[in-house]
Amino acid sequence: MCDQLRADALGCTGNWVKTPNIDRITRDGVRFSNCLTNSPVCIPARVSLATGHYPHNTGVWDNCPFELPEGRPTWMAAIRDGGYRTSLFGKTALHRRGPDIRKFEHLLNSYGLDDVDEIRGPRASVDTICHMTARWDSLGLLEAYRKDIKERTGKNKTLVRPSPLPLAEYYDVYVGQQAKNYLHNYKRSEPWFCWVSFAGPHEPWDTPEPYASMYRAGDMPPPIKRPRLRDRGPTGELDRKFAESSGKIDNAHELRANYAGKVTLIDDQIGQIIEKIETRGESDRTIILFTSDHGEMNGDYDLIHKSNFLNPAVRIPLILSMPEIKKSSLAGKIIDTPLELFDAGPTLTDFAGGKINYPHFARSLAPLLQDPKLEHRQFAISEFALELMYLDRDWKLMLNREDEPYRLFDVKQDPHEIEDLIGRKESEGLIAELKGKLLERRKQTEKV
């Protein structure tokens, strides 16, 4: 799992980033091309992933100081109850305890994760002690890292330069190597479940060498230009984002080149983990699911980061590989049924032979592997800042916190979401229909 990886930033999806190992997972498995995050921001997305509940159930609509209650049932616990030894390496964002998160491993144990080496995100690592930052401190690297992050604020928030950390100590390398070493040394009788949760390619744009120089800015796809905005009618969070960031992102191509380097760095770590699984002789009985919590604007529409319903922030990759797929006609298949990030949980639980015994709204993808033509969901939804978004194969609709439609896009004819169809008389019936479906979904899922 990545943090802030947009759906098109893979070799198999956008062709501007080299990801040979993730592409291999795709060739041996299936790629779901219509996956939405439950929320285009970290904490609500991850809480939904862990619980199978929507933000309108959890009340987590943004990066607020939320903590998943100790002992809260999760699909990870269901996998553990099915006989697996569970582990986590990297970021969870499921609790806010600190400043030394090593003292709160019992919380992750209570969520269903036995062996953990948790880190915070790149910026939060400045003032959070974990095994990784304690190692940086022992090597004399922590203060240089803190100084670098401090300089990447304000007018420097789009600063592009390599991290002061050497490659071997970079946070995504740390996460990958800890997971690889764990599998190398794993000798328990139980089968293993391993959640590898990279902190990248989340900003800052601090990819270390040699990855920082791997891509040329001039070779990056140009950012999508901001469309002319409507001067009347309902508005929402997207309009507020536009108003807050009225200036052009002058170095968008540099951001993308650095971001691409970080994605390739992560891909290399994934390759080493896969190689370790092969060395253990377990590749013919290992399931791999690859995804991200949300995307990154990277200069599209003159925006950075996420926190909106446009494609770069809300669409994410979801790829599933397993031996049965590799040996079948499904290998390499693209499935375009709408699905949502939290569907990953019951999918993995099903394949592990576990059982989720608490109410939830996520749905296993396992039936699609028997019949790829099944309609997993008629439409997918995403939520942020009390707003709702609808997506099916043809249309995207955004509702503001007053449930007023404020953006409608034709997904097939307008993939870059330039032409807003709100306010057109010919759209009124469609808007009413989609809004009705969206509000009915919310009503049906209000009670857990």
Side-chain angles (χ1 to χ4, degrees):
M1 181 173 174
C2 288
D3 190 329
Q4 213 151 297
L5 176 66
R6 47 193 281 162
D8 68 348
L10 299 173
C12 57
T13 59
N15 202 30
W16 55 280
V17 185
K18 296 181 181 70
T19 54
N21 297 294
I22 298 169
D23 293 353
R24 176 185 167 191
I25 297 171
T26 306
R27 288 194 302 272
D28 292 344
V30 293
R31 177 168 69 85
F32 296 90
S33 61
N34 240 342
C35 184
L36 281 187
T37 180
N38 294 99
S39 182
V41 70
C42 181
I43 293 177
R46 289 166 179 269
V47 171
S48 288
L49 171 62
T51 62
H53 295 164
Y54 287 109
H56 67 255
N57 305 126
T58 64
V60 185
W61 294 95
D62 206 337
N63 277 346
C64 59
F66 175 83
E67 179 172 301
L68 199 64
E70 186 169 356
R72 176 72 167 75
T74 69
W75 56 269
M76 295 92 78
I79 288 177
R80 181 172 64 186
D81 292 344
Y84 282 72
R85 182 73 180 186
T86 58
S87 58
L88 172 282
F89 301 93
K91 181 178 176 182
T92 70
L94 296 178
H95 72 90
R96 306 291 283 183
R97 302 287 180 93
D100 187 340
I101 59 174
R102 297 173 299 181
K103 298 178 180 178
F104 299 99
E105 291 182 0
H106 65 277
L107 285 176
L108 297 187
N109 299 154
S110 80
Y111 303 150
L113 297 163
D114 295 314
D115 304 317
V116 301
D117 188 344
E118 186 184 17
I119 71 169
R120 294 276 198 247
R123 296 187 184 279
S125 291
V126 165
D127 51 17
T128 302
I129 298 299
C130 62
H131 295 295
M132 178 184 72
T133 57
R135 175 175 171 80
W136 291 350
D137 196 25
S138 71
L139 295 172
L141 298 169
L142 184 56
E143 284 309 311
Y145 182 81
R146 286 171 170 165
K147 181 176 182 290
D148 178 70
I149 293 296
K150 185 177 181 180
E151 292 173 357
R152 297 174 183 271
T153 58
K155 293 180 180 180
N156 289 331
K157 62 185 176 183
T158 58
L159 177 64
V160 177
R161 73 179 180 199
S163 171
L165 298 170
L167 176 62
E169 302 302 330
Y170 191 68
Y171 40 84
D172 287 326
V173 174
Y174 177 87
V175 169
Q177 293 302 302
Q178 291 302 108
K180 185 184 81 171
N181 293 337
Y182 176 82
L183 295 179
H184 177 79
N185 295 315
Y186 190 86
K187 294 181 173 63
R188 300 179 67 95
S189 59
E190 312 102 304
W192 53 263
F193 164 81
C194 189
W195 178 8
V196 190
S197 187
F198 294 99
H202 193 293
E203 98 302 319
W205 290 274
D206 67 345
T207 304
E209 294 290 4
Y211 298 92
S213 301
M214 190 170 286
Y215 296 88
R216 292 178 62 251
D219 295 335
M220 294 294 99
I224 300 169
K225 293 182 179 179
R226 184 178 296 188
R228 184 175 58 85
L229 303 181
R230 288 182 289 111
D231 58 3
R232 64 186 67 186
T235 60
E237 283 296 317
L238 180 58
D239 298 285
R240 279 184 275 280
K241 291 287 288 184
F242 283 148
E244 291 169 0
S245 55
S246 55
K248 184 180 179 183
I249 308 296
D250 293 323
N251 65 337
H253 288 83
E254 286 78 13
L255 298 183
R256 287 162 182 253
N258 190 273
Y259 182 88
K262 194 179 297 194
V263 175
T264 298
L265 182 156
I266 292 170
D267 182 81
D268 284 349
Q269 293 300 310
I270 291 172
Q272 291 186 40
I273 294 170
I274 293 173
E275 185 179 3
K276 181 56 61 179
I277 294 169
E278 292 171 342
T279 302
R280 288 176 58 86
E282 295 173 338
S283 58
D284 62 346
R285 53 193 181 98
T286 297
I287 296 159
I288 301 175
L289 190 148
F290 174 80
T291 191
S292 178
D293 58 351
H294 52 73
E296 159 65 55
M297 298 305 293
N298 252 338
D300 280 332
Y301 314 93
D302 294 326
L303 296 175
I304 56 172
H305 308 154
K306 57 273 184 181
S307 304
N308 70 79
F309 291 139
L310 292 171
N311 280 340
V314 81
R315 284 185 182 261
I316 55 173
L318 198 147
I319 301 165
L320 181 65
S321 173
M322 54 194 302
E324 292 84 354
I325 296 176
K326 185 178 180 180
K327 300 171 185 175
S328 76
S329 60
L330 274 178
K333 189 173 183 62
I334 299 171
I335 299 178
D336 68 350
T337 184
L339 60 145
E340 297 164 5
L341 168 63
F342 65 12
D343 294 339
T347 301
L348 291 170
T349 306
D350 266 1
F351 290 132
K355 186 172 178 58
I356 297 176
N357 292 316
Y358 56 86
H360 65 96
F361 303 110
R363 298 178 182 176
S364 172
L365 302 173
L368 284 169
L369 303 185
Q370 301 299 318
D371 183 359
K373 295 181 180 179
L374 286 175
E375 187 173 66
H376 178 70
R377 296 182 183 274
Q378 184 185 9
F379 59 91
I381 72 172
S382 188
E383 300 179 293
F384 170 67
L386 300 172
E387 295 192 352
L388 286 169
M389 194 205 88
Y390 170 106
L391 178 74
D392 63 21
R393 290 181 176 88
D394 300 305
W395 305 103
K396 177 187 281 190
L397 179 71
M398 304 178 194
L399 302 184
N400 64 20
R401 62 179 60 202
E402 285 78 35
D403 294 338
E404 299 170 321
Y406 77 98
R407 287 291 191 287
L408 173 68
F409 296 115
D410 183 327
V411 170
K412 290 181 178 175
Q413 299 301 317
D414 183 23
H416 292 316
E417 304 176 317
I418 299 297
E419 196 68 29
D420 177 18
L421 303 178
I422 296 288
R424 299 187 181 185
K425 190 165 184 62
E426 63 268 26
S427 301
E428 290 176 357
L430 174 64
I431 292 169
E433 177 188 352
L434 302 183
K435 176 181 175 180
K437 290 181 179 180
L438 189 50
L439 295 182
E440 181 62 23
R441 166 74 69 82
R442 184 175 66 187
K443 182 178 179 182
Q444 291 172 347
T445 57
E446 278 179 341
K447 293 183 180 179
V448 179

